[in-house]
Amino acid sequence: VAPTTPVCEVPSSAMTGAVVQMSCKETEGSPPSEYQWYKNGVALLEKTGTGSARAANITYTMNKKSGTLLFNTVTKNDTGEYFCEASNGIGLSQKCSVKRMEV
């Protein structure tokens, strides 16, 4: 079953240094969807090892299975427009509407 449009939860504003968790979920897809987050239209990298993540200055953890995007300490650089895409290899992938977060 192809995924339906996911529901994204993105806070509209956050204080610098705060912990921010964004979530993305759709329930119709079978097999279960994997989730990819985008910021300003660019796919966010999944953090694999500390070395590459530190080099890329990655301040978040993205879980493709659960759809969460977690910032341990948000900075002004994390301000932007976020959306998430759900895909499971069947039919078209589905995106939620873009939501802006101001830090």
Side-chain angles (χ1 to χ4, degrees), residues 12-102:
S12 57
S13 63
M15 297 293 288
T16 304
V19 175
V20 172
Q21 180 168 314
M22 302 181 186
S23 65
C24 177
K25 197 79 188 144
E26 71 81 30
T27 53
E28 301 292 310
S30 180
S33 289
E34 289 208 343
Y35 302 97
Q36 171 68 52
W37 279 95
Y38 292 80
K39 176 188 172 187
N40 300 332
V42 179
L44 292 175
L45 296 168
E46 192 166 19
K47 189 166 162 177
T48 48
T50 49
S52 59
R54 205 177 289 121
N57 203 14
I58 292 177
T59 57
Y60 57 82
T61 307
M62 177 172 60
N63 186 322
K64 292 194 171 189
K65 295 269 189 269
S66 67
T68 57
L69 181 63
L70 177 67
F71 294 87
N72 285 324
T73 51
V74 291
T75 67
K76 287 200 180 337
N77 292 339
D78 297 318
T79 294
E81 297 188 335
Y82 290 86
F83 70 88
C84 155
E85 182 178 61
S87 59
N88 65 355
I90 297 169
L92 294 171
S93 57
Q94 298 288 334
K95 301 178 176 77
C96 65
S97 56
V98 174
K99 295 186 180 175
R100 183 166 178 83
M101 177 176 75
E102 289 282 346

